[in-house]
Amino acid sequence: MARFNKIFAGPYTEATPQVQERICATAVLPGTALVESGSAFAQAGAASNAKILIAQDNYLALKDVDTAWPANDRVIGMEPLDEQFFNVRVPTGTNVTRGAGLTTNAAGKFVLATTGQRIIMFAEEAYNNTSGADQLVRARKAQGNLASA
């Protein structure tokens, strides 16, 4: 079970993020990274350099953050702004420290960026994911197109 129950985490004074809706050929977990692929969404690949959107929880169907959007469904992708917080999905075995730069793995989940990789998000909390399942970690969009040093 996820530690958080929403993907967009605020702040509450901030207007909700801009969203885009597209069909996605594969099942998508909320909190993972999406990229545009023509007129559709695709799961972001490893260290993606494309524009990243965050898959929102499927609140329209009253689904929780651990329920994947079905394949070939219309998915809501949120456009992160650097002043907004999002709960992004990190795989089990990932030890995140506050301020750590995050990039994507082949499944669109957020992992620690290594030297030379694009930093997409910065962790806003420390969390050692030894839970045995993917977890949501609070993060904020990195400004610009940063590379890990």
Side-chain angles (χ1 to χ4, degrees), residues 33-136:
L34 301 169
V35 294
E36 294 178 359
S37 177
S39 63
F41 277 144
Q43 194 78 70
S48 178
N49 283 321
K51 176 182 175 182
I52 297 293
L53 293 99
I54 309 294
Q56 187 169 7
D57 45 299
N58 190 354
Y59 67 93
L60 298 171
L62 302 175
K63 302 298 182 186
D64 63 22
V65 295
D66 288 327
T67 303
W69 292 82
N72 298 310
D73 199 359
R74 185 169 298 277
V75 175
I76 300 173
M78 298 181 286
E79 294 189 41
L81 300 175
D82 60 349
E83 67 269 10
Q84 297 173 331
F85 296 107
F86 292 85
N87 296 319
V88 298
R89 194 162 298 273
V90 297
T92 188
T94 303
N95 185 12
V96 177
T97 58
R98 182 174 167 81
L102 303 173
T103 190
T104 50
N105 68 8
K109 297 173 186 170
F110 289 85
V111 295
L112 298 172
T114 58
T115 303
Q117 288 182 322
R118 174 185 176 208
I119 297 173
I120 299 168
M121 305 288 279
F122 282 110
E124 285 292 321
E125 66 172 328
Y127 185 71
N128 187 4
N129 187 5
T130 58
S131 67
D134 297 344
Q135 291 295 327
L136 296 173

